[in-house]
Amino acid sequence: MASEDGEVVRNKQVIFRDFVSGFPKETDMEVRESTTKLRLPEGSSGLLVKNLYLSCDPYMRTRMAKLDVPGYVDSFKPGSPITGYGVARVLESGHPNFKKGDLLWGFTGWEECSIITAPETCFKIEHTDVPLSYYTGLLGMPGMTAYAGFFEVCSPKKGETVFISAASGAVGQLVGQFAKLFGCYVVGSAGSKEKVDLLKNKFRFDDAFNYKEEPDLDAALKRCLPEGIDIYFENVGGKMLDAVLLNMKLHGRIAVCGMISQYNLEQPEGVHNLMNLVLKRIRMEGFLVFDYYHLYPKFLEMVLPQIKEGKIVYVEDTAKGFESAPAALIGLFSGRNVGKQVVAVSHE
């Protein structure tokens, strides 16, 4: 597709308009058609790629605000394409680790073709006997997040009780399955009857509840986990975290992966039951997946056989085309998606 003289082609893009406060809207993004040269700049060590799948992830809401957090990703740039995880094919490479035709997953632009300036942050896709879209989820950043948060941060022991909030999402559905395969008792919360049924029937959770139908979250947790919680995988924050703190066991562990209930609030909610951390000697630790990417080969070694043996299943919610991308991303914050939200932008 790349030509010697750098053919100029159409390049559809999803542009971030301006910083957002409160609940984001589709109109905070705009699908625009521009053009691009199918050629790397002279002397570039980057990659020119054609994007195939784009990943919609809750952390992207934090990048819609002005950020100044050392060691975290940057804010989106107003007037430029949204950036995030995706799956792409290499059209031209200036980097020794990649050649034309390779498939990869990593940080890319929400556009038809992108130049990746830091190829060392991307992973070459070696296993193509699974759906390529899995590299936006199960075999990509969310899969690594589930693996690192559960095994590295929580140090589980067989027979322990595990509770997961936002349990049917890209990360939660995997934490639950990893915990079950490890020999734990697993309970999840989600926001609809359909999602609760998925947790119990497809992902084989021991129990699950719809938090929207529970007037008292503390009572719901006591009903599902009468002995208390050894491990809480935190995706939600707010009232759920407060209720969980009342139900943690002695020496319990909380892996803080995200707090989706707080992302769109002008004023974040306070947490009232933190004294339980002291009284019950609970360890609560936040983590970012970037710190664990060195374990990716070890993760694949564990998870690829489990997929092939049918021990791990994965549910995706696929939107098609750039026009549907803004709605797909915004839908995460009202729980519209069922499973991992992905946008298919090119079919190969």
Side-chain angles (χ1 to χ4, degrees):
M1 189 171 167
S3 65
E4 286 309 308
D5 57 351
E7 178 195 351
V8 175
V9 294
R10 182 194 77 167
N11 194 30
K12 205 176 271 189
Q13 300 176 310
V14 181
I15 302 292
F16 178 60
R17 295 177 84 159
D18 204 357
F19 295 117
V20 175
S21 66
F23 208 92
K25 306 177 294 298
E26 287 178 48
T27 51
D28 293 321
M29 293 162 272
E30 176 189 1
V31 180
R32 213 185 274 170
E33 207 160 284
S34 68
T35 57
T36 191
K37 250 189 181 181
L38 278 185
R39 198 91 186 114
L40 278 173
E42 197 62 44
S44 167
S45 59
L47 304 173
L48 174 68
V49 300
K50 180 185 183 187
N51 294 309
L52 309 177
Y53 293 96
L54 305 175
S55 180
C56 296
D57 298 296
Y59 83 90
M60 294 170 82
R61 173 62 188 87
T62 62
R63 300 183 64 206
M64 291 179 165
K66 270 188 178 161
L67 280 175
D68 183 19
V69 184
Y72 188 56
V73 285
D74 296 333
S75 298
F76 295 136
K77 203 170 154 198
S80 293
I82 297 267
T83 55
Y85 285 95
V87 173
R89 183 179 291 285
V90 178
L91 299 178
E92 188 185 350
S93 173
H95 195 278
N97 293 358
F98 295 92
K99 63 182 191 304
K100 183 180 174 180
D102 281 349
L103 291 160
L104 61 79
W105 70 269
F107 245 59
T108 187
W110 278 33
E111 54 191 347
E112 288 178 87
C113 294
S114 295
I115 288 180
I116 296 174
T117 53
E120 59 281 359
T121 64
C122 295
F123 296 83
K124 192 189 288 188
I125 294 173
E126 311 278 8
H127 303 275
T128 53
D129 51 349
V130 292
L132 273 184
S133 58
Y134 275 17
Y135 288 93
T136 65
L138 169 52
L139 295 173
M141 181 275 287
M144 262 311 294
T145 301
Y147 175 82
F150 183 63
F151 290 107
E152 298 294 317
V153 179
C154 292
S155 311
K157 298 180 193 73
K158 200 173 172 181
E160 287 190 316
T161 55
V162 177
F163 176 60
I164 303 151
S165 53
S168 70
V171 175
Q173 58 173 293
L174 290 174
V175 178
Q177 292 180 83
F178 291 159
K180 279 298 295 175
L181 289 168
F182 192 73
C184 295
Y185 185 85
V186 180
V187 175
S189 65
S192 72
K193 183 186 181 304
E194 179 189 7
K195 290 177 182 180
V196 168
D197 288 347
L198 258 186
L199 294 178
K200 290 181 176 176
N201 302 324
K202 193 166 185 83
F203 302 137
R204 302 186 280 275
F205 279 50
D206 294 291
D207 206 350
F209 63 87
N210 178 353
Y211 70 89
K212 290 178 183 171
E213 290 180 351
E214 299 289 347
D216 184 341
L217 293 172
D218 177 33
L221 290 168
K222 284 184 166 57
R223 183 180 75 236
C224 295
L225 293 148
E227 307 287 305
I229 301 165
D230 290 301
I231 288 172
Y232 173 42
F233 200 96
E234 165 69 303
N235 291 309
V236 166
K239 293 178 179 65
M240 185 65 83
L241 174 58
D242 248 343
V244 166
L245 286 166
L246 297 173
N247 288 278
M248 292 298 292
K249 289 191 196 178
L250 279 185
H251 304 291
R253 284 87 71 210
I254 301 175
V256 186
C257 176
M259 294 195 169
I260 199 168
S261 73
Q262 306 300 296
Y263 294 164
N264 299 313
L265 302 181
E266 301 270 1
Q267 192 62 49
E269 292 173 314
V271 179
H272 304 277
N273 297 324
L274 286 173
M275 191 61 191
N276 285 277
L277 295 179
V278 180
L279 303 177
K280 298 176 179 177
R281 286 80 100 194
I282 297 163
R283 180 166 62 80
M284 183 171 175
E285 183 179 340
F287 74 102
L288 288 175
V289 69
F290 321 131
D291 299 334
Y292 296 92
Y293 276 150
H294 62 283
L295 298 176
Y296 187 62
K298 190 176 160 193
F299 162 69
L300 284 184
E301 217 170 88
M302 178 191 91
V303 85
L304 283 168
Q306 291 175 334
I307 297 169
K308 283 164 189 161
E309 290 160 24
K311 290 179 179 171
I312 293 262
V313 291
Y314 202 59
V315 171
E316 294 179 313
D317 194 324
T318 305
K320 289 187 169 63
F322 287 97
E323 286 72 16
S324 65
L329 180 55
I330 300 306
L332 290 178
F333 306 107
S334 57
R336 195 166 63 200
N337 57 304
V338 178
K340 164 69 198 167
Q341 183 65 66
V342 60
V343 184
V345 292
S346 176
H347 290 288
E348 294 209 345

